[in-house]
């Protein structure tokens, strides 16, 4: 008789990997606790990141939602969704908690959901269970008649906030002085701006009007090929790690990838010629979730589970990517785990909610997070069933709360950069 495989429990995995504590005690609190405290990203991986002074704040949630039981909230969401019918489209990012994902019409990464937002022009309302930049992209790509709602306005993105339009325009002007502003004899631009999807609409619009483009973690290689066919250099923001990992895989040496620090004079390079000699100018930004993964964690996973396959997201550091067996977007990670043989072990370097969901979905495999200390994306954590129920019941009553809108000029220029990306992809 063949023995039945039983995946180890989360507690067993944590014990085997030697974890001692959770990420932050604030994770035990309901997210509306932070609506009335000092502005911050809240508990989770981004808790120590710099919050912009102009970051939107969520209004205080009414008592009836804060005091409702989990079962009551779930039922209210189900009922409101049924009554709204085809007028409603709910999009859920992979990193959302399970209590939200179960109500989503589409689940995916930011690129997948951006496309999904265009597939239901009949829906009056798009409710985006993700973060602010994703809702902005949905508003840009949807029809003017559709509304886009973010259930909790405090669901921003600390990485996206690490590059704002004033900083990027200042960097562009300074780099223009160093690298030139005019096309050369071959018709090549001195610099092509490339922004990661995880950025504001203003930065996507900046790329649109300066001959640039948007990329995602799944198409960054193809986008960089597009950019290098048109320019001598790329200014890549806001995530340095995706830019570095992708460019290095294309054969660009680290010596041609200087960092631009927006908080230092002229980007912080010891010699401005570093930028003139560059192929990739990397913005000093990062994802706090993916910063948590280390080579030491990979070594512990290999020791605890001999033969384990380690797969990580390209927002991880170069050292972690080098030590892993595979690297790719969240869609790649989902596919790799689905295709892994029964009984195998897979250690994953990405957000804990997705990893735990995949572990539950594939009980015939041992799937676990490289970082066993529970530390979700701070801002994805802000989307709670109470906010979703509140948003949907307001839509029923004809009141669009937390509407995300991008002004016409910004949307037009951002759409140029997004459509270039969609054509490349």
């Amino acid at each position: 008789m063949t023995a039945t495989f039983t995946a180890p429990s989360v507690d067993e995995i944590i014990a085997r990997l030697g974890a001692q504590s959770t990420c932050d005690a604030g994770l035990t609190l309901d997210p509306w606790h932070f609506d009335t405290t000092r502005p911050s990203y809240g508990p989770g991986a981004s808790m120590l990141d710099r919050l912009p002074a102009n970051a939107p704040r969520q209004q205080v949630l009414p008592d009836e939602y804060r005091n409702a039981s989990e079962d009551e909230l779930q039922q209210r969401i189900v009922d409101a969704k049924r009554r709204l019918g085809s007028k409603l489209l709910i999009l859920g990012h992979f990193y959302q908690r399970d209590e939200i994902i179960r109500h989503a019409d589409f689940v995916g990464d930011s690129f997948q959901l951006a496309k999904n937002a265009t597939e239901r022009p009949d829906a009056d309302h798009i409710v985006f269970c993700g973060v602010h930049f994703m809702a902005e992209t949905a508003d840009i790509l949807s029809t003017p008649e559709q509304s886009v709602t973010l259930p909790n306005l405090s669901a921003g993105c600390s990485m996206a906030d690490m590059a704002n339009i004033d900083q990027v325009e200042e960097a562009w002007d300074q780099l223009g002085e160093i690298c030139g502003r005019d096309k050369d004899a071959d018709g090549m631009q001195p610099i092509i701006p490339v922004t990661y999807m995880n950025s504001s609409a203003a930065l996507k619009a900046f790329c649109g009007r300066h001959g640039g483009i948007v990329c995602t973690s799944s198409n960054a290689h193809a986008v960089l090929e597009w950019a290098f066919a048109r320019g001598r250099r790329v200014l890549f923001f806001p995530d340095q790690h995706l830019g570095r990992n992708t460019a290095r895989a294309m054969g660009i040496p680290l010596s041609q990838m200087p960092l631009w620090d927006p908080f230092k004079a002229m980007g912080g390079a010891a010699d401005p010629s570093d930028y003139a000699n560059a192929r990739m100018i990397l913005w000093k930004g990062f994802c706090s979730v993916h910063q948590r993964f280390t080579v030491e964690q990979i070594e512990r996973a290999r020791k605890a589970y001999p033969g384990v396959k380690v797969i990580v997201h390209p927002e991880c550091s170069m050292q972690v990517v080098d030590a892993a067996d595979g690297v790719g977007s969240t869609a790649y990670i989902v596919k790799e785990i689905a295709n892994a043989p029964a009984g195998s072990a897979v250690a994953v370097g990405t957000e804990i909610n997705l990893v735990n969901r995949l572990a539950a979905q594939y009980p015939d495999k041992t799937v676990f997070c490289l970082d066993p200390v529970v530390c979700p994306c701070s801002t994805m954590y802000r989307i709670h069933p109470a906010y979703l129920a509140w948003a949907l019941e307001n839509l029923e009553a004809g009141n669009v709360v937390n509407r995300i809108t991008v002004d016409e000029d910004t949307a037009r220029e951002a759409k140029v950069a997004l459509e270039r990306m969609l054509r490349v992809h």
Side-chain angles (χ1 to χ4, degrees), residues 349-422:
T350 198
E351 208 273 341
I352 190 73
N353 278 321
L354 172 62
V355 180
N356 286 348
R357 187 175 307 119
L358 290 168
Q361 187 176 348
Y362 298 101
D364 60 334
K365 306 162 191 178
T366 299
V367 179
F368 61 95
C369 189
L370 272 176
D371 179 7
V373 176
V374 179
C375 200
C377 173
S378 301
T379 49
M380 291 283 186
Y381 167 79
R382 292 294 188 107
I383 307 292
H384 182 280
Y387 294 97
L388 181 56
W390 169 73
L392 296 185
E393 290 182 346
N394 268 278
L395 287 177
E396 275 193 272
N399 180 29
V400 180
V401 294
N402 289 6
R403 184 167 187 171
I404 303 299
T405 57
V406 178
D407 70 84
E408 187 176 333
D409 290 340
T410 300
R412 183 183 65 255
E413 292 178 329
K415 194 169 185 178
V416 170
L418 285 164
E419 287 178 340
R420 286 174 183 151
M421 177 194 75
L422 292 171

Side-chain angles (χ1 to χ4, degrees), residues 91-402:
L91 303 176
H93 191 271
F94 279 133
Y95 295 168
Q96 288 292 312
R97 58 180 88 203
D98 289 345
E99 308 95 284
I100 294 294
I101 289 295
R102 70 182 60 166
H103 302 293
D105 297 301
F106 292 103
V107 177
D109 59 17
S110 56
F111 175 70
Q112 291 170 312
L113 295 176
K115 292 198 299 182
N116 294 148
T118 69
E119 293 171 7
R120 283 279 309 281
D122 58 311
D124 294 339
H125 308 293
I126 298 171
V127 176
F128 210 124
C129 297
V131 294
H132 198 274
F133 76 81
M134 300 177 189
E136 282 188 330
T137 303
D139 184 62
I140 292 167
L141 296 177
S142 60
T143 69
E145 294 74 31
Q146 293 176 296
S147 71
V148 177
T149 288
L150 184 66
N152 187 332
L153 286 182
S154 293
C157 171
S158 64
M159 179 183 19
D161 290 338
M162 289 177 190
N164 64 52
I165 187 61
D166 292 337
Q167 291 173 324
V168 170
E169 287 183 338
E170 182 179 7
W172 188 254
D173 287 342
Q174 293 175 350
L175 287 168
E177 295 174 10
I178 298 169
C179 304
R181 293 185 170 86
D182 300 324
K183 292 182 178 180
D184 63 18
D186 296 323
M188 301 284 277
Q189 288 183 211
I191 308 173
I192 298 287
V194 177
T195 190
Y196 191 18
M197 179 70 84
N198 301 30
S199 60
S200 70
L203 295 193
K204 294 180 176 73
F206 175 91
C207 289
R209 65 177 172 269
H210 288 289
I213 191 169
V214 180
C215 82
T216 72
S217 55
S218 59
N219 71 0
H221 187 124
V223 165
L224 287 184
E225 288 183 335
W226 180 96
F228 286 128
R230 290 160 175 78
R232 297 299 181 191
R233 305 165 194 82
V234 164
L235 172 61
F236 190 94
F237 48 85
D239 181 42
Q240 60 175 301
H241 299 296
L242 175 63
R244 183 180 295 110
N245 289 326
T246 307
R248 201 166 64 108
M250 297 171 68
I252 297 175
L254 293 176
S255 60
Q256 293 181 8
M257 288 190 261
L259 200 63
W260 182 277
D261 186 339
F263 295 101
K264 291 184 178 179
M266 296 300 288
D271 187 337
S273 66
D274 289 349
Y275 300 122
N277 297 327
R279 289 281 281 155
M280 281 282 287
I281 301 170
L282 301 169
W283 195 268
K284 190 178 181 181
F286 55 84
C287 168
S288 293
V289 169
H290 293 101
Q291 285 277 99
R292 292 181 60 85
F293 301 115
T294 66
V295 174
E296 290 73 22
Q297 290 169 352
I298 293 176
E299 291 171 348
R300 285 201 297 269
R302 294 198 192 284
K303 185 177 180 180
Y305 292 93
V308 66
K309 183 172 185 178
V310 178
I311 54 177
V312 301
H313 195 280
E315 290 173 18
C316 293
S317 71
M318 177 181 68
Q319 293 80 7
V320 168
V321 167
D322 285 348
D325 300 307
V327 57
S329 66
T330 43
Y332 159 85
I333 290 170
V334 170
K335 184 177 179 180
E336 283 292 300
I337 292 172
N339 293 336
S344 60
V346 185
V348 188
T350 198
E351 208 273 341
I352 190 73
N353 278 321
L354 172 62
V355 180
N356 286 348
R357 187 175 307 119
L358 290 168
Q361 187 176 348
Y362 298 101
D364 60 334
K365 306 162 191 178
T366 299
V367 179
F368 61 95
C369 189
L370 272 176
D371 179 7
V373 176
V374 179
C375 200
C377 173
S378 301
T379 49
M380 291 283 186
Y381 167 79
R382 292 294 188 107
I383 307 292
H384 182 280
Y387 294 97
L388 181 56
W390 169 73
L392 296 185
E393 290 182 346
N394 268 278
L395 287 177
E396 275 193 272
N399 180 29
V400 180
V401 294
N402 289 6

